[in-house]
Amino acid sequence: MTSPIPPVRVRYAPSPTGIPHIGNIRTALFDWILARQTGGQFIVRIEDTDRSRYDAAAEKAIFESLKWLGLDWDEGPDKGGPHAPYIQSERKQMYIDAAERLVESGHAYYDDTTPEELHALRERQRAAGQPPRYDGRGRHRSPEAIEESRQNGLPITIRLKVPDHGTVSFEDSVRGKVSFELKEIDDFVILKSDQMPTYHLAHIVDDHAMGITHVIRGDEWISSTPRHLMIHKALGIEPPEYVHVPLILGKDRSKLSKRHGATSALEYRDQGYLADAIFNFLALLGWSPGDDTEVMSRDEIVRRFSIDRINDSPAIFDSEKLEWMNGVYIRNMDADQLMDQILPFMERPESEGGLPDTVARPIDRVYLKRLIPLVHERLKKLTEATETLDFFFADNVSPEASDLPGKKMDAEMTERALTAALELCKTAAPFEPEHLEAEYRALAEKLNMKPGQLFSPIRVAITGKSFAPPLFDTMSAVGQKRCIERISNAIGILRAG
RNA sequence: GGCCCCAUCGUCUAGUGGCCCAGGACACGGCCCUCUCAAGGCUGAAACAGGGGUUCAAAUCCCCUUGGGGCUACCA
């Protein structure tokens, strides 16, 4: 069903100005999938041409996100490659050369308009009810005038000459044909006064030099694509295939932002989501295989992915569905894998969601391994392990008196249940789940209670919670000694309450 | 404001003119299973934004309206 296409060269080109959010990472995901599917290359390039917004922590987070999701790259800043360097600030001269070449060929010109003049121009246009647009005044500046401004230390930029009439159009892989009127586009800056290129120039020079075949990027770039086409034309080079993918929106339909809670891949990692689940979920946000399959391995996604099945419309990030899918992935793991994943979360400090600090680290792996089957299918997120398992590790628990009675039970009946449960607990042997269950069921009958009525107070007494893993597995794992202590403690709480 | 993009259940989506009084999944309700909570099974409610065309036939094609989003920087 997927039309086989020749090997692609695709790149993820984030700017290190902030932690990449999930929508941004999804384009990297699509890049990676396509590269792996076609046997092509996935390239990472850092677009740090805005020196004022550079953030080293953001750059670190970019690579950490990719690594966590398993999106390995073939060429990049750390790995090098045939087109190194892969950091734009280190490629500065290439852009300067390209811009100057465009000036020489008459496609671009030096402009000495100051920011203040530009601002004033826009204000005037706005006041007159006109769209703010650069008026092309620099086109008429003589070389001498530019040189004089340069001598005087005025900022000089290079702008592309955009024809004032005509149409540009291109065939987008997901949108189809998109057209723009050139009269809507002004002469835009390609080389800033600090000699750094703008995004427009830089990415085109690089994509061409690096042999990029498909530019996969967010929808927000679609309106600047005509500018990119004009640069290609001026440079005399062929544009790549454009793949504009729909944006990912938050619950309120606005662009995903901090207000919507977690937005970066790393935050999801820290909240106990699995990389495979995020991978699967993200792939399905804006793409679908065409049938009802939802849970798919990486291999299956790589095999079935195709650009023409990418959706046109923006998607809202549904965290509830993500949580469900994460649960599916947890259930599909084997016990050892799950234990490895859970351990670091449980060993975090108590203040960060780990077990109480009174529980010794490292956690007893042998004991934990025994507990995994009891909670395996109950977990949706790795972070939940702490709260579902804490009572196994604690010395004691403190249930509320009001939580102890089961359905249709008063305090007297609850006390009777616990007292009898305590006696049986002292004598029960072996302290194994099946045996315990048989004994306690018999006890319920003897007490003329429903099994659930007897079990309920015991559960709360032993776990401190009204819901927990199956009672007799739990009791067996907690151990006879602690069970006796906890039940008698609960009786005390009940009497006091 | 101008330009561009988008529009199927609350959400993610299937649907590329007849197979659709629209299928799946999450979430939600009911039932079953059951010692609680899960998991699992069955089941229910829930959508083609509106209006015009084109056609024997439209969720699917065209136009308009409405709504949402993006861009409009010497940011990416």
Side-chain angles (χ1 to χ4, degrees), chain A residues 147-181:
Chain A
E147 190 48 40
E148 192 187 328
S149 289
R150 201 190 299 276
Q151 295 300 330
N152 292 334
L154 290 178
I156 310 289
T157 62
I158 295 180
R159 287 177 183 269
L160 192 79
K161 236 181 246 180
V162 179
D164 55 11
H165 65 280
T167 307
V168 250
S169 60
F170 66 101
E171 196 67 30
D172 188 274
S173 302
V174 350
R175 315 273 153 202
K177 186 177 176 177
V178 183
S179 304
F180 293 84
E181 293 299 324

PDB file of all heavy atoms in Angstrom, chain A residues 147-181:
ATOM      1  N   GLU A 147      27.869  52.709   1.179  1.00  0.00           N
ATOM      2  CA  GLU A 147      29.224  52.740   1.715  1.00  0.00           C
ATOM      3  C   GLU A 147      29.354  53.815   2.793  1.00  0.00           C
ATOM      4  O   GLU A 147      29.986  53.595   3.824  1.00  0.00           O
ATOM      5  CB  GLU A 147      30.231  52.986   0.559  1.00  0.00           C
ATOM      6  CG  GLU A 147      31.673  52.806   0.957  1.00  0.00           C
ATOM      7  CD  GLU A 147      31.936  51.521   1.742  1.00  0.00           C
ATOM      8  OE1 GLU A 147      31.341  50.467   1.385  1.00  0.00           O
ATOM      9  OE2 GLU A 147      32.712  51.560   2.723  1.00  0.00           O
ATOM     10  N   GLU A 148      28.694  54.925   2.551  1.00  0.00           N
ATOM     11  CA  GLU A 148      28.750  56.007   3.531  1.00  0.00           C
ATOM     12  C   GLU A 148      28.087  55.588   4.848  1.00  0.00           C
ATOM     13  O   GLU A 148      28.610  55.815   5.939  1.00  0.00           O
ATOM     14  CB  GLU A 148      28.057  57.244   2.965  1.00  0.00           C
ATOM     15  CG  GLU A 148      28.320  58.495   3.794  1.00  0.00           C
ATOM     16  CD  GLU A 148      27.477  59.687   3.324  1.00  0.00           C
ATOM     17  OE1 GLU A 148      27.195  59.759   2.097  1.00  0.00           O
ATOM     18  OE2 GLU A 148      27.106  60.512   4.177  1.00  0.00           O
ATOM     19  N   SER A 149      26.937  54.923   4.727  1.00  0.00           N
ATOM     20  CA  SER A 149      26.250  54.434   5.921  1.00  0.00           C
ATOM     21  C   SER A 149      27.129  53.442   6.664  1.00  0.00           C
ATOM     22  O   SER A 149      27.208  53.436   7.894  1.00  0.00           O
ATOM     23  CB  SER A 149      24.938  53.747   5.529  1.00  0.00           C
ATOM     24  OG  SER A 149      23.989  54.692   5.098  1.00  0.00           O
ATOM     25  N   ARG A 150      27.800  52.611   5.887  1.00  0.00           N
ATOM     26  CA  ARG A 150      28.679  51.607   6.497  1.00  0.00           C
ATOM     27  C   ARG A 150      29.785  52.298   7.298  1.00  0.00           C
ATOM     28  O   ARG A 150      30.073  51.922   8.428  1.00  0.00           O
ATOM     29  CB  ARG A 150      29.277  50.718   5.406  1.00  0.00           C
ATOM     30  CG  ARG A 150      29.776  49.361   5.921  1.00  0.00           C
ATOM     31  CD  ARG A 150      30.581  48.602   4.877  1.00  0.00           C
ATOM     32  NE  ARG A 150      29.834  48.283   3.672  1.00  0.00           N
ATOM     33  CZ  ARG A 150      29.046  47.224   3.538  1.00  0.00           C
ATOM     34  NH1 ARG A 150      28.902  46.388   4.538  1.00  0.00           N
ATOM     35  NH2 ARG A 150      28.405  47.007   2.409  1.00  0.00           N
ATOM     36  N   GLN A 151      30.365  53.353   6.684  1.00  0.00           N
ATOM     37  CA  GLN A 151      31.420  54.110   7.359  1.00  0.00           C
ATOM     38  C   GLN A 151      30.900  54.729   8.649  1.00  0.00           C
ATOM     39  O   GLN A 151      31.609  54.824   9.642  1.00  0.00           O
ATOM     40  CB  GLN A 151      31.954  55.219   6.442  1.00  0.00           C
ATOM     41  CG  GLN A 151      32.670  54.717   5.180  1.00  0.00           C
ATOM     42  CD  GLN A 151      33.877  53.841   5.496  1.00  0.00           C
ATOM     43  OE1 GLN A 151      34.521  54.009   6.520  1.00  0.00           O
ATOM     44  NE2 GLN A 151      34.151  52.879   4.626  1.00  0.00           N
ATOM     45  N   ASN A 152      29.657  55.141   8.596  1.00  0.00           N
ATOM     46  CA  ASN A 152      29.063  55.783   9.768  1.00  0.00           C
ATOM     47  C   ASN A 152      28.575  54.787  10.810  1.00  0.00           C
ATOM     48  O   ASN A 152      27.938  55.167  11.790  1.00  0.00           O
ATOM     49  CB  ASN A 152      27.883  56.670   9.341  1.00  0.00           C
ATOM     50  CG  ASN A 152      28.373  57.880   8.544  1.00  0.00           C
ATOM     51  OD1 ASN A 152      29.511  58.316   8.715  1.00  0.00           O
ATOM     52  ND2 ASN A 152      27.520  58.393   7.674  1.00  0.00           N
ATOM     53  N   GLY A 153      28.808  53.497  10.538  1.00  0.00           N
ATOM     54  CA  GLY A 153      28.437  52.488  11.518  1.00  0.00           C
ATOM     55  C   GLY A 153      26.959  52.133  11.545  1.00  0.00           C
ATOM     56  O   GLY A 153      26.473  51.561  12.511  1.00  0.00           O
ATOM     57  N   LEU A 154      26.245  52.486  10.486  1.00  0.00           N
ATOM     58  CA  LEU A 154      24.827  52.121  10.455  1.00  0.00           C
ATOM     59  C   LEU A 154      24.683  50.639  10.114  1.00  0.00           C
ATOM     60  O   LEU A 154      25.528  50.074   9.418  1.00  0.00           O
ATOM     61  CB  LEU A 154      24.084  52.962   9.401  1.00  0.00           C
ATOM     62  CG  LEU A 154      23.904  54.442   9.734  1.00  0.00           C
ATOM     63  CD1 LEU A 154      23.193  55.159   8.572  1.00  0.00           C
ATOM     64  CD2 LEU A 154      23.115  54.622  11.029  1.00  0.00           C
ATOM     65  N   PRO A 155      23.628  50.023  10.598  1.00  0.00           N
ATOM     66  CA  PRO A 155      23.423  48.600  10.303  1.00  0.00           C
ATOM     67  C   PRO A 155      23.050  48.393   8.839  1.00  0.00           C
ATOM     68  O   PRO A 155      22.190  49.099   8.302  1.00  0.00           O
ATOM     69  CB  PRO A 155      22.272  48.205  11.220  1.00  0.00           C
ATOM     70  CG  PRO A 155      21.543  49.470  11.521  1.00  0.00           C
ATOM     71  CD  PRO A 155      22.571  50.561  11.472  1.00  0.00           C
ATOM     72  N   ILE A 156      23.727  47.428   8.203  1.00  0.00           N
ATOM     73  CA  ILE A 156      23.450  47.117   6.805  1.00  0.00           C
ATOM     74  C   ILE A 156      22.916  45.695   6.699  1.00  0.00           C
ATOM     75  O   ILE A 156      23.505  44.762   7.260  1.00  0.00           O
ATOM     76  CB  ILE A 156      24.742  47.175   5.957  1.00  0.00           C
ATOM     77  CG1 ILE A 156      25.503  48.469   6.203  1.00  0.00           C
ATOM     78  CG2 ILE A 156      24.407  46.978   4.470  1.00  0.00           C
ATOM     79  CD1 ILE A 156      24.850  49.711   5.643  1.00  0.00           C
ATOM     80  N   THR A 157      21.810  45.546   6.012  1.00  0.00           N
ATOM     81  CA  THR A 157      21.277  44.201   5.787  1.00  0.00           C
ATOM     82  C   THR A 157      21.269  43.934   4.294  1.00  0.00           C
ATOM     83  O   THR A 157      21.506  44.827   3.494  1.00  0.00           O
ATOM     84  CB  THR A 157      19.823  44.083   6.295  1.00  0.00           C
ATOM     85  OG1 THR A 157      19.002  45.000   5.551  1.00  0.00           O
ATOM     86  CG2 THR A 157      19.722  44.383   7.779  1.00  0.00           C
ATOM     87  N   ILE A 158      21.015  42.680   3.952  1.00  0.00           N
ATOM     88  CA  ILE A 158      20.795  42.358   2.538  1.00  0.00           C
ATOM     89  C   ILE A 158      19.375  41.841   2.401  1.00  0.00           C
ATOM     90  O   ILE A 158      18.931  40.996   3.178  1.00  0.00           O
ATOM     91  CB  ILE A 158      21.807  41.304   2.040  1.00  0.00           C
ATOM     92  CG1 ILE A 158      23.229  41.875   2.078  1.00  0.00           C
ATOM     93  CG2 ILE A 158      21.442  40.853   0.604  1.00  0.00           C
ATOM     94  CD1 ILE A 158      24.310  40.906   1.604  1.00  0.00           C
ATOM     95  N   ARG A 159      18.669  42.411   1.447  1.00  0.00           N
ATOM     96  CA  ARG A 159      17.282  42.009   1.205  1.00  0.00           C
ATOM     97  C   ARG A 159      17.134  41.375  -0.173  1.00  0.00           C
ATOM     98  O   ARG A 159      17.836  41.757  -1.115  1.00  0.00           O
ATOM     99  CB  ARG A 159      16.335  43.214   1.288  1.00  0.00           C
ATOM    100  CG  ARG A 159      16.117  43.724   2.698  1.00  0.00           C
ATOM    101  CD  ARG A 159      15.223  44.962   2.702  1.00  0.00           C
ATOM    102  NE  ARG A 159      15.063  45.495   4.037  1.00  0.00           N
ATOM    103  CZ  ARG A 159      14.066  45.128   4.872  1.00  0.00           C
ATOM    104  NH1 ARG A 159      13.143  44.264   4.479  1.00  0.00           N
ATOM    105  NH2 ARG A 159      13.994  45.657   6.071  1.00  0.00           N
ATOM    106  N   LEU A 160      16.216  40.468  -0.272  1.00  0.00           N
ATOM    107  CA  LEU A 160      15.940  39.843  -1.564  1.00  0.00           C
ATOM    108  C   LEU A 160      14.957  40.718  -2.334  1.00  0.00           C
ATOM    109  O   LEU A 160      13.991  41.230  -1.780  1.00  0.00           O
ATOM    110  CB  LEU A 160      15.346  38.442  -1.392  1.00  0.00           C
ATOM    111  CG  LEU A 160      15.314  37.633  -2.684  1.00  0.00           C
ATOM    112  CD1 LEU A 160      16.696  37.045  -2.973  1.00  0.00           C
ATOM    113  CD2 LEU A 160      14.276  36.519  -2.633  1.00  0.00           C
ATOM    114  N   LYS A 161      15.228  40.877  -3.600  1.00  0.00           N
ATOM    115  CA  LYS A 161      14.333  41.622  -4.469  1.00  0.00           C
ATOM    116  C   LYS A 161      13.183  40.708  -4.880  1.00  0.00           C
ATOM    117  O   LYS A 161      13.396  39.725  -5.586  1.00  0.00           O
ATOM    118  CB  LYS A 161      15.102  42.030  -5.732  1.00  0.00           C
ATOM    119  CG  LYS A 161      15.107  43.508  -6.039  1.00  0.00           C
ATOM    120  CD  LYS A 161      15.874  43.760  -7.333  1.00  0.00           C
ATOM    121  CE  LYS A 161      17.142  44.561  -7.045  1.00  0.00           C
ATOM    122  NZ  LYS A 161      17.909  44.810  -8.296  1.00  0.00           N
ATOM    123  N   VAL A 162      11.993  41.054  -4.427  1.00  0.00           N
ATOM    124  CA  VAL A 162      10.840  40.219  -4.784  1.00  0.00           C
ATOM    125  C   VAL A 162      10.002  40.962  -5.818  1.00  0.00           C
ATOM    126  O   VAL A 162       9.648  42.123  -5.599  1.00  0.00           O
ATOM    127  CB  VAL A 162       9.974  39.910  -3.545  1.00  0.00           C
ATOM    128  CG1 VAL A 162       8.770  39.059  -3.918  1.00  0.00           C
ATOM    129  CG2 VAL A 162      10.801  39.210  -2.466  1.00  0.00           C
ATOM    130  N   PRO A 163       9.719  40.341  -6.954  1.00  0.00           N
ATOM    131  CA  PRO A 163       8.911  41.006  -7.984  1.00  0.00           C
ATOM    132  C   PRO A 163       7.589  41.498  -7.394  1.00  0.00           C
ATOM    133  O   PRO A 163       7.059  40.866  -6.488  1.00  0.00           O
ATOM    134  CB  PRO A 163       8.651  39.895  -9.009  1.00  0.00           C
ATOM    135  CG  PRO A 163       9.718  38.882  -8.762  1.00  0.00           C
ATOM    136  CD  PRO A 163      10.051  38.970  -7.314  1.00  0.00           C
ATOM    137  N   ASP A 164       7.086  42.624  -7.896  1.00  0.00           N
ATOM    138  CA  ASP A 164       5.852  43.149  -7.302  1.00  0.00           C
ATOM    139  C   ASP A 164       4.580  42.593  -7.930  1.00  0.00           C
ATOM    140  O   ASP A 164       3.490  42.956  -7.570  1.00  0.00           O
ATOM    141  CB  ASP A 164       5.856  44.681  -7.330  1.00  0.00           C
ATOM    142  CG  ASP A 164       6.086  45.206  -8.733  1.00  0.00           C
ATOM    143  OD1 ASP A 164       6.021  44.397  -9.682  1.00  0.00           O
ATOM    144  OD2 ASP A 164       6.340  46.427  -8.871  1.00  0.00           O
ATOM    145  N   HIS A 165       4.750  41.724  -8.872  1.00  0.00           N
ATOM    146  CA  HIS A 165       3.545  41.067  -9.377  1.00  0.00           C
ATOM    147  C   HIS A 165       3.884  39.655  -9.847  1.00  0.00           C
ATOM    148  O   HIS A 165       5.053  39.301  -9.990  1.00  0.00           O
ATOM    149  CB  HIS A 165       2.924  41.860 -10.523  1.00  0.00           C
ATOM    150  CG  HIS A 165       3.791  41.921 -11.749  1.00  0.00           C
ATOM    151  ND1 HIS A 165       4.849  42.800 -11.860  1.00  0.00           N
ATOM    152  CD2 HIS A 165       3.788  41.171 -12.877  1.00  0.00           C
ATOM    153  CE1 HIS A 165       5.449  42.612 -13.024  1.00  0.00           C
ATOM    154  NE2 HIS A 165       4.836  41.629 -13.658  1.00  0.00           N
ATOM    155  N   GLY A 166       2.863  38.878 -10.066  1.00  0.00           N
ATOM    156  CA  GLY A 166       3.070  37.494 -10.455  1.00  0.00           C
ATOM    157  C   GLY A 166       2.591  36.558  -9.348  1.00  0.00           C
ATOM    158  O   GLY A 166       2.093  37.007  -8.316  1.00  0.00           O
ATOM    159  N   THR A 167       2.722  35.283  -9.602  1.00  0.00           N
ATOM    160  CA  THR A 167       2.229  34.271  -8.668  1.00  0.00           C
ATOM    161  C   THR A 167       3.314  33.232  -8.429  1.00  0.00           C
ATOM    162  O   THR A 167       4.037  32.875  -9.346  1.00  0.00           O
ATOM    163  CB  THR A 167       0.995  33.545  -9.275  1.00  0.00           C
ATOM    164  OG1 THR A 167       0.045  34.527  -9.669  1.00  0.00           O
ATOM    165  CG2 THR A 167       0.357  32.614  -8.276  1.00  0.00           C
ATOM    166  N   VAL A 168       3.438  32.802  -7.185  1.00  0.00           N
ATOM    167  CA  VAL A 168       4.277  31.627  -6.916  1.00  0.00           C
ATOM    168  C   VAL A 168       3.382  30.519  -6.425  1.00  0.00           C
ATOM    169  O   VAL A 168       2.489  30.753  -5.618  1.00  0.00           O
ATOM    170  CB  VAL A 168       5.297  31.807  -5.764  1.00  0.00           C
ATOM    171  CG1 VAL A 168       6.699  31.860  -6.276  1.00  0.00           C
ATOM    172  CG2 VAL A 168       4.910  32.914  -4.849  1.00  0.00           C
ATOM    173  N   SER A 169       3.641  29.330  -6.875  1.00  0.00           N
ATOM    174  CA  SER A 169       2.878  28.218  -6.329  1.00  0.00           C
ATOM    175  C   SER A 169       3.782  27.014  -6.221  1.00  0.00           C
ATOM    176  O   SER A 169       4.834  26.941  -6.862  1.00  0.00           O
ATOM    177  CB  SER A 169       1.662  27.922  -7.194  1.00  0.00           C
ATOM    178  OG  SER A 169       2.081  27.588  -8.490  1.00  0.00           O
ATOM    179  N   PHE A 170       3.383  26.113  -5.379  1.00  0.00           N
ATOM    180  CA  PHE A 170       4.147  24.884  -5.227  1.00  0.00           C
ATOM    181  C   PHE A 170       3.195  23.759  -4.885  1.00  0.00           C
ATOM    182  O   PHE A 170       2.053  23.987  -4.464  1.00  0.00           O
ATOM    183  CB  PHE A 170       5.229  25.034  -4.152  1.00  0.00           C
ATOM    184  CG  PHE A 170       4.697  25.232  -2.757  1.00  0.00           C
ATOM    185  CD1 PHE A 170       4.658  24.171  -1.863  1.00  0.00           C
ATOM    186  CD2 PHE A 170       4.243  26.474  -2.335  1.00  0.00           C
ATOM    187  CE1 PHE A 170       4.175  24.350  -0.571  1.00  0.00           C
ATOM    188  CE2 PHE A 170       3.752  26.653  -1.051  1.00  0.00           C
ATOM    189  CZ  PHE A 170       3.714  25.596  -0.166  1.00  0.00           C
ATOM    190  N   GLU A 171       3.672  22.563  -5.077  1.00  0.00           N
ATOM    191  CA  GLU A 171       2.867  21.381  -4.802  1.00  0.00           C
ATOM    192  C   GLU A 171       3.311  20.814  -3.466  1.00  0.00           C
ATOM    193  O   GLU A 171       4.397  20.258  -3.349  1.00  0.00           O
ATOM    194  CB  GLU A 171       3.084  20.364  -5.935  1.00  0.00           C
ATOM    195  CG  GLU A 171       2.068  19.263  -6.020  1.00  0.00           C
ATOM    196  CD  GLU A 171       0.662  19.741  -6.410  1.00  0.00           C
ATOM    197  OE1 GLU A 171       0.548  20.762  -7.151  1.00  0.00           O
ATOM    198  OE2 GLU A 171      -0.307  19.113  -5.962  1.00  0.00           O
ATOM    199  N   ASP A 172       2.486  20.999  -2.449  1.00  0.00           N
ATOM    200  CA  ASP A 172       2.819  20.463  -1.136  1.00  0.00           C
ATOM    201  C   ASP A 172       2.370  19.008  -1.070  1.00  0.00           C
ATOM    202  O   ASP A 172       1.291  18.666  -1.540  1.00  0.00           O
ATOM    203  CB  ASP A 172       2.110  21.289  -0.059  1.00  0.00           C
ATOM    204  CG  ASP A 172       2.563  20.910   1.341  1.00  0.00           C
ATOM    205  OD1 ASP A 172       2.000  19.970   1.920  1.00  0.00           O
ATOM    206  OD2 ASP A 172       3.491  21.553   1.838  1.00  0.00           O
ATOM    207  N   SER A 173       3.206  18.180  -0.465  1.00  0.00           N
ATOM    208  CA  SER A 173       2.888  16.749  -0.421  1.00  0.00           C
ATOM    209  C   SER A 173       1.618  16.430   0.341  1.00  0.00           C
ATOM    210  O   SER A 173       0.985  15.421   0.101  1.00  0.00           O
ATOM    211  CB  SER A 173       4.027  15.969   0.225  1.00  0.00           C
ATOM    212  OG  SER A 173       5.207  16.181  -0.491  1.00  0.00           O
ATOM    213  N   VAL A 174       1.268  17.268   1.290  1.00  0.00           N
ATOM    214  CA  VAL A 174       0.033  16.957   1.996  1.00  0.00           C
ATOM    215  C   VAL A 174      -1.101  17.904   1.650  1.00  0.00           C
ATOM    216  O   VAL A 174      -2.265  17.530   1.678  1.00  0.00           O
ATOM    217  CB  VAL A 174       0.226  16.767   3.542  1.00  0.00           C
ATOM    218  CG1 VAL A 174       1.683  16.709   3.936  1.00  0.00           C
ATOM    219  CG2 VAL A 174      -0.562  17.740   4.343  1.00  0.00           C
ATOM    220  N   ARG A 175      -0.797  19.117   1.233  1.00  0.00           N
ATOM    221  CA  ARG A 175      -1.857  20.087   0.925  1.00  0.00           C
ATOM    222  C   ARG A 175      -2.276  20.096  -0.533  1.00  0.00           C
ATOM    223  O   ARG A 175      -3.329  20.613  -0.858  1.00  0.00           O
ATOM    224  CB  ARG A 175      -1.406  21.515   1.232  1.00  0.00           C
ATOM    225  CG  ARG A 175      -0.721  21.711   2.517  1.00  0.00           C
ATOM    226  CD  ARG A 175      -1.700  21.974   3.611  1.00  0.00           C
ATOM    227  NE  ARG A 175      -1.106  21.536   4.860  1.00  0.00           N
ATOM    228  CZ  ARG A 175      -1.782  21.219   5.942  1.00  0.00           C
ATOM    229  NH1 ARG A 175      -3.090  21.270   5.927  1.00  0.00           N
ATOM    230  NH2 ARG A 175      -1.183  20.830   7.028  1.00  0.00           N
ATOM    231  N   GLY A 176      -1.391  19.664  -1.385  1.00  0.00           N
ATOM    232  CA  GLY A 176      -1.660  19.846  -2.803  1.00  0.00           C
ATOM    233  C   GLY A 176      -1.129  21.200  -3.230  1.00  0.00           C
ATOM    234  O   GLY A 176      -0.211  21.730  -2.621  1.00  0.00           O
ATOM    235  N   LYS A 177      -1.745  21.772  -4.257  1.00  0.00           N
ATOM    236  CA  LYS A 177      -1.223  23.027  -4.780  1.00  0.00           C
ATOM    237  C   LYS A 177      -1.547  24.226  -3.882  1.00  0.00           C
ATOM    238  O   LYS A 177      -2.686  24.398  -3.458  1.00  0.00           O
ATOM    239  CB  LYS A 177      -1.802  23.278  -6.177  1.00  0.00           C
ATOM    240  CG  LYS A 177      -1.191  24.485  -6.856  1.00  0.00           C
ATOM    241  CD  LYS A 177      -1.718  24.661  -8.268  1.00  0.00           C
ATOM    242  CE  LYS A 177      -1.137  25.953  -8.869  1.00  0.00           C
ATOM    243  NZ  LYS A 177      -1.571  26.125 -10.271  1.00  0.00           N
ATOM    244  N   VAL A 178      -0.525  25.008  -3.593  1.00  0.00           N
ATOM    245  CA  VAL A 178      -0.700  26.208  -2.789  1.00  0.00           C
ATOM    246  C   VAL A 178      -0.114  27.387  -3.572  1.00  0.00           C
ATOM    247  O   VAL A 178       0.999  27.301  -4.084  1.00  0.00           O
ATOM    248  CB  VAL A 178       0.035  26.099  -1.439  1.00  0.00           C
ATOM    249  CG1 VAL A 178      -0.219  27.326  -0.575  1.00  0.00           C
ATOM    250  CG2 VAL A 178      -0.404  24.842  -0.696  1.00  0.00           C
ATOM    251  N   SER A 179      -0.894  28.478  -3.689  1.00  0.00           N
ATOM    252  CA  SER A 179      -0.438  29.631  -4.462  1.00  0.00           C
ATOM    253  C   SER A 179      -0.442  30.913  -3.649  1.00  0.00           C
ATOM    254  O   SER A 179      -1.247  31.083  -2.740  1.00  0.00           O
ATOM    255  CB  SER A 179      -1.344  29.856  -5.675  1.00  0.00           C
ATOM    256  OG  SER A 179      -1.402  28.700  -6.463  1.00  0.00           O
ATOM    257  N   PHE A 180       0.452  31.786  -3.999  1.00  0.00           N
ATOM    258  CA  PHE A 180       0.527  33.101  -3.359  1.00  0.00           C
ATOM    259  C   PHE A 180       0.751  34.165  -4.421  1.00  0.00           C
ATOM    260  O   PHE A 180       1.402  33.923  -5.435  1.00  0.00           O
ATOM    261  CB  PHE A 180       1.699  33.165  -2.374  1.00  0.00           C
ATOM    262  CG  PHE A 180       1.546  32.279  -1.185  1.00  0.00           C
ATOM    263  CD1 PHE A 180       1.901  30.945  -1.255  1.00  0.00           C
ATOM    264  CD2 PHE A 180       1.040  32.773   0.008  1.00  0.00           C
ATOM    265  CE1 PHE A 180       1.763  30.111  -0.153  1.00  0.00           C
ATOM    266  CE2 PHE A 180       0.903  31.943   1.119  1.00  0.00           C
ATOM    267  CZ  PHE A 180       1.267  30.614   1.034  1.00  0.00           C
ATOM    268  N   GLU A 181       0.235  35.357  -4.131  1.00  0.00           N
ATOM    269  CA  GLU A 181       0.489  36.501  -4.996  1.00  0.00           C
ATOM    270  C   GLU A 181       1.791  37.159  -4.546  1.00  0.00           C
ATOM    271  O   GLU A 181       1.956  37.460  -3.360  1.00  0.00           O
ATOM    272  CB  GLU A 181      -0.658  37.508  -4.884  1.00  0.00           C
ATOM    273  CG  GLU A 181      -1.986  37.026  -5.443  1.00  0.00           C
ATOM    274  CD  GLU A 181      -1.924  36.699  -6.930  1.00  0.00           C
ATOM    275  OE1 GLU A 181      -1.191  37.411  -7.675  1.00  0.00           O
ATOM    276  OE2 GLU A 181      -2.586  35.732  -7.357  1.00  0.00           O
TER     277      GLU A 181
END
